[in-house]
Amino acid sequence: MSAGTGQPPAVRRRVELDLLRALVVLGLVFFHAALVFSPDDDFYVKNRETTDVVTVAAGLAVVWAMPLLFLVAGLGARHSLRRRGPGGFARERLLRLGVPLVFATLVLCPPPQWLRLRAADPGYDESYWEFWPRFLTVHPDPGDFPFVLEGDHFETGHLWFVVLLLAFSLLLAPVVGPLESAARRSGDAVERRPVLLLLPVLPLALINSLLGMEEGFAGWNRWAYLLFFLFGYALADDERIRAAMRRLAVPVGVLGIVLFLGTAPGFLSEDDPFTAWNAVALSTRALFGAAGWCWVVAILGLLDRPREGRSREAGPPSRVLPYLAVAALPLYVLHQPVVVAFAYGVVSWSAPIAVKYAVIVACSLAVILLVYECLVRRTRVTRFLFGMRTDPPTPPAS
């Protein structure tokens, strides 16, 4: 096929995006385990002793990690829409995202909430099976779209990513035609003036600043993620834009670091930098949004550069990355309940923070990978429930 219509998947596969997706999803185990020891975050289970190191490390992660996941998802949506058309794409997204969302909300989201109550009150003696119906007691809340159900104990928890991705996909399908035209014009413009690659900092800064940052969504406003998703759809697979990203990766990365450092005074001095309406808070959120786009461009550009002896489109040296790429959604769905369960047992130990953290991370990684390998990917039913294709799995290469 021509460059304008795409090439066969084996040629077009971008290994660096598989790497990014795998690193971000597995990195969430490290991230959420760290929140157990954060002095700021209201995580399900908290250690009595906390450290400000977690706050700094979390800030370095949230500025780029989830935005990259949405951008890569937007790129995947473009390929899927080309193959299936708008109707087929919407049906596929409802199955691949909607089914695991419903299943995990019923099965995997209640335990962390129950453990939160047990951790907060030593006298809490309600059994899990008594708590489960109360978790599912909900009422409509359309004002919080796309999180349209509300309850005293109900939450989608870490599945907020799946909720937003499903909503964005369904919003995208009807407007694919105008977006294709806009994407072509964007490629033409960036080819002439590569600096136009920085234009997305403006809407991202405005959304984060004026609508406020949301702690429950990794510090970004939910609608900023829609922009990353749309930018991924429109920009990331155009070779002209990829060339601009490679060329500008270093200076844009330096700019992103400077912008991110500029957020420090606001985040450190303001009581509520996420939602306050004073000048310092507004500018801090704007700088954060602008920094996020710069970090994403720099990371994509640097990883897209050719390595010695290998082309950018070459296949990986083993099947580890394809294996993890297929496993990304199931591992994401599985990880947080496992982290919370181990944290609940570990925080009562008389041990240093570093030891507790290492135990939570190591045990959580082992369990989610074991559950995925031995249970999720082995049957058609479990593959369907976790959003995977139901074809029989092929064994991983050694």
Side-chain angles (χ1 to χ4, degrees), residues 136-179:
L136 296 178
T137 302
V138 297
H139 59 269
D141 185 20
D144 196 30
F145 182 84
F147 302 91
V148 294
L149 295 177
E150 183 64 60
D152 291 338
H153 299 287
F154 177 83
E155 65 163 16
T156 54
H158 66 298
L159 299 178
W160 64 263
F161 168 73
V162 183
V163 175
L164 289 179
L165 186 55
L166 178 58
F168 296 165
S169 298
L170 297 179
L171 290 172
L172 171 67
V175 296
V176 61
L179 278 177

Side-chain angles (χ1 to χ4, degrees), residues 54-115:
V54 173
T55 303
V56 177
L60 292 172
V62 299
V63 71
W64 65 270
M66 297 308 293
L68 261 175
L69 275 190
F70 280 101
L71 188 142
V72 172
L75 172 59
R78 185 168 189 173
H79 292 305
S80 183
L81 272 161
R82 286 172 176 170
R83 291 195 307 271
R84 298 180 174 90
F89 171 74
R91 288 191 296 271
E92 189 262 355
R93 292 293 86 185
L94 284 169
L95 286 175
R96 296 286 299 280
L97 296 173
V99 170
L101 174 61
V102 173
F103 170 75
T105 299
L106 295 175
V107 176
L108 298 178
C109 288
Q113 282 288 68
W114 180 63
L115 291 175

